[in-house]
Amino acid sequence: MADVAVHAEGLSKRYVLGRLETGFRRLRRMAGRVEARGEMWALDDVSFEIPTGQAVALIGPNGAGKSTLLKILAQVVEPTRGWADVRGRVGALLEVGTGFHAELTGRENVYLAGTILGMRRREIAQRFDDIVEFSGVQKYIDTPVKRYSNGMYIRLGFAVSAFLEPEILIVDEVLAVGDAEFQRRCVGRMTEVAKDGRTVVFVSHNMQPVRALCERALLLKHGRLVDDGETDVIVRRYLASLDTSQTGIRRWDDPLDRPGDGTTRLVEVRVSDRDGEAAPSFFSTQEIHVSYEFEVAVPVPGFVAALELAAEDGSVVFRSYSSDKGAAIQQPLGPGRTVLRCVIPPELLNTGRYLVNVRAYAHGVDLFMSEQAVLAFDVTADHGESFFLGASSRPGSVAPLLDWRIVPPAIAADEDAKLRDIVAQ
């Protein structure tokens, strides 16, 4: 049997809502003299093992307990019940603010993090240039990190966690910050860590890197471990279980439940035809309009929304940004309600079910909203000659009608014959 890097048994974490529980009140509650009210169990009796060298994803909807579980494994919080045995040096990248001292510079924080991991100064110095180059903050490495943007903070944090040779690398959803190239490099680095025989525990709402990196997935719902197995199998089960709209509209009426942060929250997502009629299904020859309604508390400069369309297995078909064509839509939003709409052109999508993932950024870099599979819609392909001839459906999520023409050969026939004679000689 392979060595076990992480062994969790009966992990449970309880939070008291609405008030702090003093030690005296806790003793009275445990003695049965007061009723425990306003409790929330973020984790409830979770048990599993992770062998050394395995890359494992924790997936599930918001509020499932994924981040709480990572914090316990990283020894940031203690469980209410149960225990976790983590064997090895842990490099953890959780939410912004974890691990760095705001008053210290980037350089000082790199050395501080390495020291906490038990490394000598010489070992840290050997990896320092790689860390800074990967993070892309060379210009600001001697600036206090309290002046970093969220993206800079997280890029440096990931580089520190990944390059100081932890035996167990723990990464939360914050990996989504940054451009596509940085995300690709992050997944590549985690893949290298896993190939080196080290353990990776990864949380993400984006199923594409999950499927690319992890061989195994644990599915959490309402604080409980409900499924465990091969990544592709668990991802399909998870996406199939999501509460996606069957009307073409997903709306959050309770302001407290709306996805987002204190500045911008998502009110509604709608898919409709060109007349504005919401629907759960379309023919491929129809335009499909996707609308986001945001509630903005204060002006958000550099606001960029993104439509990420995914297939049923979670693989991303494409991602489109509100900044794709011109800068007019990049004006500061708010305060108040704003609706952004994009159009999926006809004769593009193939037959199948598609999931709408919502993402929103500040300045196109700092991700502050990422909602997976907020609703689903179906497409029936009715374009292209092969569909009408009764041929089997085309493979792939898209079925574009491309421009084909007859053109002259790049090399004329007589010149081609001369070349053959030369080769024959």
Side-chain angles (χ1 to χ4, degrees):
M1 179 179 177
D3 293 336
V4 175
V6 179
H7 182 191
E9 194 67 41
L11 279 182
S12 302
K13 181 61 182 178
R14 167 185 166 274
Y15 291 103
V16 178
L17 303 178
R19 65 180 298 173
L20 293 175
E21 184 178 47
T22 64
F24 177 70
R25 182 176 177 82
R26 184 181 183 190
L27 288 174
R28 293 190 64 196
R29 176 179 58 79
M30 294 175 67
R33 296 181 182 178
V34 295
E35 181 182 355
R37 296 180 179 178
E39 293 184 351
M40 180 192 74
W41 288 91
L43 287 178
D44 186 7
D45 195 26
V46 173
S47 302
F48 60 90
E49 288 186 354
I50 300 177
T52 299
Q54 189 174 67
V56 177
L58 301 181
I59 63 175
N62 289 334
K66 305 183 296 296
S67 294
T68 299
L69 178 54
L70 286 193
K71 290 176 183 178
I72 291 176
L73 299 183
Q75 300 180 352
V76 174
V77 301
E78 290 190 358
T80 305
R81 292 198 300 257
W83 51 269
D85 183 13
V86 181
R87 304 171 187 174
R89 190 162 61 192
V90 176
L93 181 62
L94 306 175
E95 73 269 11
V96 176
T98 301
F100 282 174
H101 191 294
E103 298 296 332
L104 299 181
T105 67
R107 183 186 302 274
E108 291 166 337
N109 271 295
V110 170
Y111 280 92
L112 175 62
T115 302
I116 292 173
L117 285 172
M119 301 180 70
R120 296 181 179 179
R121 186 175 182 86
R122 183 177 61 185
E123 295 176 297
I124 303 170
Q126 289 173 346
R127 296 166 179 81
F128 183 83
D129 290 343
D130 290 335
I131 291 171
V132 176
E133 181 182 359
F134 189 94
S135 67
V137 298
Q138 296 95 324
K139 186 177 178 180
Y140 307 98
I141 194 63
D142 292 309
T143 300
V145 297
K146 67 181 180 182
R147 298 196 179 101
Y148 285 13
S149 68
N150 285 356
M152 293 166 60
Y153 202 110
I154 291 171
R155 290 197 299 271
L156 183 59
F158 178 85
V160 167
S161 298
F163 279 86
L164 290 183
E165 296 192 355
E167 293 163 308
I168 302 172
L169 178 60
I170 297 175
V171 183
D172 204 345
E173 179 65 41
V174 289
L175 177 60
V177 171
D179 57 24
E181 173 60 21
F182 180 75
Q183 294 175 39
R184 185 190 64 78
R185 288 191 289 130
C186 287
V187 173
R189 180 58 188 169
M190 288 192 290
T191 302
E192 291 175 8
V193 169
K195 287 182 177 178
D196 286 344
R198 288 173 279 168
T199 308
V200 177
V201 183
F202 180 40
V203 165
S204 178
H205 285 98
N206 189 338
M207 296 298 106
Q208 202 160 15
V210 163
R211 296 174 68 222
L213 173 67
C214 301
E215 57 194 281
R216 175 185 170 199
L218 308 180
L219 177 58
L220 295 173
K221 285 188 178 180
H222 306 297
R224 301 185 68 88
L225 179 60
V226 298
D227 216 338
D228 178 356
E230 183 182 347
T231 300
D232 279 351
V233 174
I234 302 303
V235 166
R236 288 177 184 274
R237 290 176 184 170
Y238 165 55
L239 294 176
S241 70
L242 290 175
D243 183 20
T244 54
S245 169
Q246 297 302 312
T247 64
I249 301 174
R250 176 77 178 276
R251 189 172 182 87
W252 292 264
D253 290 319
D254 186 346
L256 298 178
D257 289 338
R258 290 170 182 164
D261 60 11
T263 62
T264 307
R265 292 191 179 275
L266 184 63
V267 178
E268 181 185 277
V269 178
R270 175 188 298 252
V271 289
S272 59
D273 59 22
R274 64 186 307 166
D275 297 322
E277 189 70 29
S281 60
F282 303 87
F283 287 111
S284 64
T285 50
Q286 291 179 280
E287 286 184 355
I288 301 174
H289 293 219
V290 183
S291 303
Y292 297 161
E293 181 179 341
F294 294 102
E295 182 178 49
V296 184
V298 296
V300 183
F303 179 88
V304 176
L307 162 65
E308 189 174 81
L309 201 68
E312 269 197 295
D313 63 359
S315 59
V316 176
V317 178
F318 66 78
R319 184 188 296 175
S320 176
Y321 297 94
S322 60
S323 57
D324 280 348
K325 290 189 175 181
I329 205 170
Q330 296 182 65
Q331 301 301 318
L333 298 187
R337 295 283 179 89
T338 298
V339 177
L340 299 181
R341 176 178 298 165
C342 68
V343 179
I344 301 174
E347 300 181 348
L348 173 64
L349 297 180
N350 207 344
T351 296
R353 170 158 290 192
Y354 296 88
L355 308 174
V356 175
N357 303 333
V358 181
R359 301 168 75 85
Y361 305 79
H363 302 291
V365 176
D366 294 330
L367 179 73
F368 62 85
M369 183 186 301
S370 178
E371 292 296 313
Q372 192 84 358
V374 295
L375 56 76
F377 63 90
D378 294 308
V379 172
T380 300
D382 64 341
H383 70 280
E385 185 181 55
S386 63
F387 292 110
F388 298 109
L389 293 177
S392 59
S393 62
R394 305 183 187 190
S397 297
V398 294
L401 301 183
L402 304 180
D403 185 16
W404 288 76
R405 300 180 184 182
I406 296 177
V407 297
I411 300 177
D414 55 347
E415 293 181 6
D416 195 28
K418 292 178 182 178
L419 289 174
R420 286 198 300 269
D421 291 341
I422 293 172
V423 172
Q425 293 174 2

